[in-house]
Amino acid sequence: AAHALIPLISGEVENEPLVSVVNPALCIACQKCEEVCNFGAIGVNFDNEVLVSESNPLLCKGCGDCSAACPAGAITMRHFSDEQIYPMVSEAVKGDFVDDRPRIVAFLCNWCSYAGADTCGVSRFQYPTNIRPIRVMCTGRIPKSFVLQAFLEGADGVLIGGCHIGDCHYLEGNYDMLQRYNELHEVLAKVGINPKRFRLEWVSASEGKRFAEVVTEFVNQVKELGPISKTGDKIEPKKEKVKEGT
């Protein structure tokens, strides 16, 4: 009650700047954003003459799930836009690494995995220096294009770290990432990239040791696969067993 009294007395409320913005020129009113938003902050306004989605900055929590789900690229996240993240991906695979290869891009959610990486460092747990972390507010913010772009830029592996199922800061953002992860596994195999180069893990803010173990295990796994070539991996087609007489 005392907490609710503060904005009533002050007469104004400060809102976080991390909100979604819809470009009406690109919006196709497919309502995909409305389907994934857990806060009712975005959706098509049927009262307007032109049907486009609108975002309510007072309700938006800034997870970015709507931006990743938008097929038209009409939604931009302030301070975490595609134009800001794509250059990070490009720079993450450049430069001299201590062990040079493999080069791994890690997308880590702000509330759990990124905090878990901090806990790992503070606790002095050791892990390979092959990963380059990129912070996002939620794993739900990560579209398939981020992962594909990382491989296109020359990454040998991509690691995504998020909150445990049921503990997402944005309620269900990690569920949406899990669905994209499963879909991406099929896509990577079709374009000639071994799905073992792509991994999704749940790491909480207190699991610094687990973060080190996950990174170490994944780096060793990618090392066994070797550096990714410009033409991708050689994936042998699955052999189907055929019964005699058929």
Side-chain angles (χ1 to χ4, degrees), residues 61-160:
K61 303 300 180 182
C63 65
D65 205 346
C66 58
S67 179
C70 180
I75 304 175
T76 301
M77 299 306 302
R78 288 180 178 173
H79 305 291
F80 284 91
S81 65
D82 291 0
E83 290 74 15
Q84 291 172 305
I85 296 179
Y86 280 130
M88 295 182 191
V89 174
S90 299
E91 291 299 320
V93 296
K94 292 181 180 179
D96 297 327
F97 283 57
V98 176
D99 193 16
D100 194 43
R101 305 299 286 264
R103 300 176 180 179
I104 295 175
V105 177
F107 295 99
L108 307 177
C109 86
N110 177 73
W111 303 101
C112 284
S113 293
Y114 197 83
D118 284 339
T119 302
C120 180
V122 171
S123 304
R124 298 180 180 274
F125 293 121
Q126 301 296 313
Y127 63 88
T129 58
N130 301 80
I131 72 164
R132 291 294 181 269
I134 296 177
R135 182 171 69 100
V136 292
M137 294 305 293
C138 177
T139 53
R141 169 67 183 96
I142 305 169
K144 299 174 186 177
S145 58
F146 284 2
V147 177
L148 296 175
Q149 184 67 24
F151 284 116
L152 183 64
E153 295 284 351
D156 298 309
V158 175
L159 173 66
I160 294 179

Side-chain angles (χ1 to χ4, degrees), residues 35-38 63 65-66 68-69 139-142 165 170 172-183 202:
E35 292 176 7
V36 298
C37 182
N38 297 303
C63 65
D65 205 346
C66 58
T139 53
R141 169 67 183 96
I142 305 169
I165 295 295
Y170 301 103
E172 297 180 358
N174 50 4
Y175 282 97
D176 295 325
M177 183 63 245
L178 180 60
Q179 180 179 347
R180 295 181 196 127
Y181 171 78
N182 293 329
E183 293 171 353
W202 313 124

